[in-house]
């Protein structure tokens, strides 16, 4: 797919000739055939443009609302096989990373393509740790929000505001500048998130403790009260770290597509990633974990699950945390999360909503409606239960998704930026509106 070679016209296919990596399209309006190159099982949409009835026509386009069968980029970051339930970062299976890696190491892998050696890892930790502090003015900025402002709104705004503090971030083609902004974005996410949380409680902000791990420090900034030194619980610290690994990237989802699309205009990475957080906020994307927990609370008891499933099947509501555009088999992340859930419940006590969730899953996995549509629990079905047990309010759930996803967004942004084939994202449309018509003065309008 590397060269947009012009296509040739051909009418016959010789069965004895060697296999050709092309697609022959016959336009029945004209009887003309076109041979279009295939690379990576894909044709270039622009190769359709030669298909015309008249020379003056614009040429054929493909129509794909929601991009469900359109590759918008070539990527080497994350691989998903939704039918087989496979998820790999840079070739490494998510199960192995969740078991053996840490979030910061995984973030390095996503961003730089390889697992770090011990010196690289030490340096990476050092840089991230030393970029966790935020400008004092950001605190003033946060103070302007109402006490009940949603923390995702605060996160979107403060990430965007960072671009005004770091004007050097606009030098997007300077590798050193990109490196610095990466440290800042990955390093400051837990601080911005924790400060937003403390603001909603009206509690004083807790400054980063550079002696703690990435997740340990995050717990410190969230939950420290009067202790002289906060000691995070190792089970919760580890659970959060695994959850962060699982959420770090997920190829061309809505928010990754947003960071690439917004970034393609060559805006700075703070502005581009703020847009990605906004995309994540929606209830069909990262907001689903919050919605899933609200749904379990609304169901209220195991006995009421069948009645709720009936409403879902009647199209009155959705089973939040179920279904996925790509996974048509069990979301592999959901399987790992279920395991983490039990570790957290052992420490914190079982979340009473777990039984309701398990019953929803049991019924849904047997029910023809869900089986036929290949609807399985996704990453968001069980995370809410864990977060709630760890003491997070529901509004923080999408924030907990956004923090680790920052490494994936920056990796996607940089890959887009350095790809010579990428230009400003600008889709086409099928215009179905009025043809030209004369302006109607107001006294003549109906
Ligand atoms: N509950 C009930 N029915 C569902 C659900 C669900 N959660 N998800 C899909 N369906 C049904 C649809 O109504 C549709 O039925 P139909 O064929 O009779 O019309 C069919 O399954 C296919 O669904 P689509 O909406 O076409 O699937 P799509 O790939 O566009 O949507 C999505 C994927 C948005 C994730 C969807 O499954 C959904 O809304 N799930 C609930 C929200 C959620 O959990 N989002 C988190 C996704 S993971 C993430 O972003 C981190």
């Amino acid at each position: 797919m590397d060269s947009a070679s012009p296509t040739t016209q051909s009418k016959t296919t010789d069965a004895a000739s060697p296999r050709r990596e092309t697609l022959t399209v016959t336009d029945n309006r004209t009887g003309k055939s076109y041979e279009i190159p295939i690379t990576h099982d894909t044709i270039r949409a622009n190769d359709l443009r030669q298909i015309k009835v008249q020379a003056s026509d614009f040429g054929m386009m493909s129509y794909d609302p929601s991009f469900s069968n359109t590759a918008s980029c070539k990527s080497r970051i994350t691989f998903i096989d939704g039918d087989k339930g496979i998820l790999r970062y840079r070739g490494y299976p998510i199960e192995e990373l969740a078991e053996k890696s840490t979030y910061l190491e995984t973030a390095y892998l996503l961003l730089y393509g390889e697992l770090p050696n011990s010196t690289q890892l030490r340096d990476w930790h050092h840089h991230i740790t030393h970029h966790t502090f935020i400008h004092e003015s950001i605190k003033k900025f946060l103070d302007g929000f109402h006490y009940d402002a949603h923390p995702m709104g605060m996160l979107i705004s403060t990430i965007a505001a960072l671009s005004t503090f770091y004007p050097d971030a606009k030098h997007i083609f300077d590798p050193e500048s990109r490196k610095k902004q990466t440290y800042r974005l990955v390093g400051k996410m837990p601080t911005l998130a924790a400060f937003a949380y403390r603001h909603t409680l009206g509690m004083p902000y807790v400054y980063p403790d550079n002696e703690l791990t990435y997740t340990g420090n995050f717990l410190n900034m969230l939950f420290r009260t009067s202790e002289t030194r906060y000691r995070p619980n190792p089970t919760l610290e580890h659970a959060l770290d695994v959850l962060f690994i699982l959420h770090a990237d997920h190829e061309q989802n809505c928010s990754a597509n947003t960071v690439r699309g917004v970034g393609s205009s060559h805006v700075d990475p703070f502005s581009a990633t703020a847009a990605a957080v906004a995309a994540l906020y929606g209830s069909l994307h990262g907001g689903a974990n919050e919605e899933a927990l609200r749904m379990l609370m609304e169901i209220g008891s195991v006995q009421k699950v069948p009645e709720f499933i009936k409403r879902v099947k009647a199209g009155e509501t959705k089973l939040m945390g179920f279904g996925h555009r790509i996974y048509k088999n069990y979301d592999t992340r959901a399987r790992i999360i279920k395991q983490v859930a039990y570790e957290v419940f052992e420490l914190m006590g079982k979340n009473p909503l777990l039984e309701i969730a398990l019953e929803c899953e049991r019924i849904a996995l047997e029910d023809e409606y869900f089986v036929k549509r290949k609807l399985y629990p996704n990453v968001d079905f069980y995370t809410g239960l864990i977060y709630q047990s760890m003491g997070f309010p529901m509004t923080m759930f999408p924030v907990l998704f956004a923090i680790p996803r920052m490494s994936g967004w920056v990796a996607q942004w940089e890959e887009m930026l350095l790809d010579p084939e990428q230009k400003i994202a600008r889709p086409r449309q099928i215009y179905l509106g009025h043809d030209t018509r004369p302006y109607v003065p107001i006294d003549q309008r109906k």
Side-chain angles (χ1 to χ4, degrees), residues 259-305:
V259 80
R260 281 177 176 263
V262 174
S264 76
S265 75
H266 290 180
V267 74
D268 69 86
F270 295 101
S271 303
T273 52
V277 184
L280 189 76
Y281 190 6
S283 61
L284 298 187
H285 193 8
N289 52 16
E290 185 179 341
E291 295 301 325
L293 200 87
R294 289 190 197 282
M295 175 195 78
L296 295 175
M297 288 165 72
E298 184 197 322
I299 298 172
S301 72
V302 171
Q303 293 70 31
K304 291 192 180 150
V305 171

Side-chain angles (χ1 to χ4, degrees), residues 16-255:
S17 62
R19 170 183 149 132
R20 291 207 308 272
E21 294 297 315
T22 60
L23 178 76
T24 300
V25 180
T26 303
D27 184 347
N28 292 322
R29 299 171 301 176
T30 59
K32 275 194 202 163
S33 287
Y34 303 82
E35 192 171 340
I36 296 176
I38 299 174
T39 317
H40 305 303
D41 287 332
T42 308
I43 60 161
R44 282 184 171 265
N46 263 340
D47 282 344
L48 299 174
R49 286 281 289 281
Q50 63 183 315
I51 304 176
K52 298 177 177 188
V53 175
Q54 292 176 13
S56 59
D57 286 352
F58 180 77
M60 182 149 300
M61 298 187 295
S62 60
Y63 177 57
D64 188 10
S66 81
F67 308 126
S68 52
N69 197 39
T70 294
S72 64
C73 63
K74 294 172 191 162
S75 184
R76 291 181 167 78
I77 303 172
T78 293
F79 173 77
I80 302 173
D81 183 328
D83 290 330
K84 296 192 184 129
I86 293 173
L87 169 61
R88 296 183 203 128
Y89 296 159
R90 303 281 188 185
Y92 293 100
I94 193 69
E95 296 83 354
E96 279 196 55
L97 292 169
E99 190 191 332
K100 298 172 188 162
S101 186
T102 61
Y103 169 67
L104 271 194
E105 184 184 66
T106 299
Y108 183 100
L109 171 70
L110 285 168
L111 286 157
Y112 303 111
E114 297 295 338
L115 286 168
N117 63 29
S118 49
T119 313
Q120 289 166 329
L121 188 60
R122 202 176 49 239
D123 286 353
W124 173 240
H125 270 273
H126 174 85
H127 287 303
I128 297 303
T129 306
H130 287 83
H131 285 88
T132 49
F133 278 74
I134 54 177
H135 196 287
E136 286 292 296
S137 293
I138 290 278
K139 279 173 31 188
K140 291 189 206 139
F141 188 76
L142 277 168
D143 287 341
F145 286 102
H146 279 202
Y147 75 94
D148 59 352
H150 197 290
M152 275 300 262
M154 291 193 257
L155 193 63
I156 295 165
S157 317
T158 44
I159 294 170
L162 287 182
S163 78
T164 67
F165 290 84
Y166 305 113
D168 58 316
K170 65 171 178 282
H171 304 304
I172 54 172
F173 290 108
D174 172 358
E176 282 309 308
S177 170
R178 284 202 305 275
K179 217 188 263 178
K180 189 107 176 243
Q181 313 321 322
T182 303
Y183 300 150
R184 286 172 171 156
L185 280 162
V186 176
K188 293 180 200 312
M189 277 300 273
T191 318
L192 295 174
F195 279 29
Y197 171 70
R198 300 284 290 206
H199 174 76
T200 59
L201 298 179
M203 288 180 74
Y205 303 120
V206 176
Y207 284 80
D209 180 342
N210 288 353
E211 299 300 310
L212 296 174
T213 63
Y214 191 76
T215 46
N217 174 46
F218 179 47
L219 291 168
N220 159 61
M221 292 187 288
L222 289 164
F223 299 130
R224 187 171 146 209
T225 49
S226 57
E227 313 90 305
T228 31
R229 196 85 199 255
Y230 180 84
R231 299 266 166 235
N233 181 292
T235 304
L236 301 185
E237 190 180 1
H238 174 254
L240 206 53
D241 204 62
V242 173
L243 289 166
F244 277 11
I245 292 172
L246 299 180
H247 285 88
D249 194 53
H250 213 235
E251 55 119 305
Q252 303 313 312
N253 53 76
C254 178
S255 54

Side-chain angles (χ1 to χ4, degrees), residues 408-422:
W409 287 327
V410 177
Q412 298 282 347
W413 167 75
E414 192 164 35
E415 190 178 63
M416 176 277 305
L417 215 56
L418 301 182
D419 180 347
E421 283 194 310
Q422 290 292 342

Side-chain angles (χ1 to χ4, degrees), residues 66 68 247 250 253-255 280 282-289 291-292 295 312-313 315 317-328 331 333 369-370 372-381 401 405:
S66 81
S68 52
H247 285 88
H250 213 235
N253 53 76
C254 178
S255 54
L280 189 76
S283 61
L284 298 187
H285 193 8
N289 52 16
E291 295 301 325
M295 175 195 78
V312 171
K313 286 163 63 178
T317 184
K318 272 189 172 176
L319 187 54
M320 296 310 286
F322 258 69
H324 200 277
R325 172 63 60 78
I326 304 286
Y327 289 115
K328 299 301 173 196
D331 179 341
R333 299 168 300 172
Y369 175 95
F370 295 90
K372 208 172 92 194
R373 290 170 178 78
K374 299 188 175 175
L375 300 171
Y376 294 89
N378 61 48
V379 68
D380 287 324
F381 193 61
F401 193 148
R405 185 54 63 89

